[in-house]
């Protein structure tokens, strides 16, 4: 299973509906092939302002990229079979996956693919993916979603380019 692990600078992607890439962030990373995604908060001022820094923000497993790329977007939208949105209420990765946290935060890596990582990190990735719950048609699993003043639940363009 290929897992994309990346540091986020802002919330709202994925959106409350569990659609990843709705804000058209991440440039060339958008076209990578993966089966699951783990979003952790970055360490910079924007992530700090959203209070998502150094936290497990979201988990999606069982990726389903759309067949088409929406007009004006650089890559397909993605939904997941299992999804958990934690944002600023997630645990610190170092508390549940210390080896992965060291790998992501010790060196300034923005994006990591799970291919070729140590068996210890692979086990920690599996542990995190197990947190994602099956999506039900009538409701998504959400925990403590806070919106900043002036932001819409289905998207918010940030001042800093992703």
């Amino acid at each position: 299973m290929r897992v994309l692990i990346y540091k986020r600078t802002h919330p709202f992607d994925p959106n409350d509906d569990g659609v990843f890439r709705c804000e058209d962030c991440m440039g060339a990373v958008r076209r990578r092939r993966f089966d699951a995604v783990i979003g952790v908060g970055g360490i910079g001022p924007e992530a700090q302002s959203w209070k998502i820094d150094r936290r497990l923000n979201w988990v999606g497993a069982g990726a389903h990229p759309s067949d088409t790329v929406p007009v004006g977007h650089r890559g397909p939208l993605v939904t997941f079979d299992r999804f958990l949105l934690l944002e600023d209420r997630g645990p610190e990765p170092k508390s549940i996956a210390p080896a992965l946290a060291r790998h992501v935060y010790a060196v300034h890596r923005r994006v990591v693919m799970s291919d070729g990582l140590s068996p210890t990190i692979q086990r920690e990735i599996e542990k995190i993916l197990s947190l994602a719950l099956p999506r039900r048609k009538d409701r998504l699993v959400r925990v403590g979603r806070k919106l900043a003043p002036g932001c819409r639940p289905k998207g918010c363009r940030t001042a800093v380019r992703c």
Side-chain angles (χ1 to χ4, degrees), residues 54-97:
R54 292 186 187 267
R55 296 199 168 278
L56 175 63
N57 298 161
W58 75 279
V59 180
H64 298 283
S66 61
D67 293 332
T68 60
V69 175
V71 174
H73 280 221
R74 296 172 285 178
L77 301 178
V78 181
T79 58
F80 300 91
D81 294 331
R82 296 182 301 127
F83 178 71
L84 180 64
L85 186 60
L86 296 165
E87 298 294 21
D88 62 341
R89 295 199 174 216
E92 291 186 357
K94 70 180 180 181
S95 69
I96 60 171

Side-chain angles (χ1 to χ4, degrees), residues 3 27 36 41 55 71 81 84 91 94 100 109-110 118 133 138 144:
V3 181
R55 296 199 168 278
V71 174
D81 294 331
L84 180 64
K94 70 180 180 181
L100 177 62
R109 293 181 172 98
R110 173 87 195 268
S118 74
L133 302 174
D138 60 335

Side-chain angles (χ1 to χ4, degrees), residues 12-124:
F12 308 112
D13 196 345
N15 66 17
D16 284 345
D17 295 326
V19 179
F20 179 47
R21 298 178 170 164
C22 58
E23 288 291 319
D24 198 36
C25 300
M26 300 172 53
V29 174
R30 299 175 57 79
R31 295 207 181 262
R32 291 189 187 184
R33 295 198 185 277
F34 50 81
D35 303 301
V37 180
I38 297 171
V40 297
I43 59 173
E46 187 172 8
Q48 292 172 10
S49 74
W50 289 106
K51 297 182 176 29
I52 64 169
D53 56 305
R54 292 186 187 267
R55 296 199 168 278
L56 175 63
N57 298 161
W58 75 279
V59 180
H64 298 283
S66 61
D67 293 332
T68 60
V69 175
V71 174
H73 280 221
R74 296 172 285 178
L77 301 178
V78 181
T79 58
F80 300 91
D81 294 331
R82 296 182 301 127
F83 178 71
L84 180 64
L85 186 60
L86 296 165
E87 298 294 21
D88 62 341
R89 295 199 174 216
E92 291 186 357
K94 70 180 180 181
S95 69
I96 60 171
L100 177 62
R102 275 191 305 278
H103 185 76
V104 170
Y105 291 113
V107 176
H108 298 290
R109 293 181 172 98
R110 173 87 195 268
V111 178
V112 175
M113 294 302 293
S114 63
D115 304 343
L117 296 178
S118 74
T120 301
I121 294 176
Q122 295 289 349
R123 282 190 298 276
E124 292 178 350

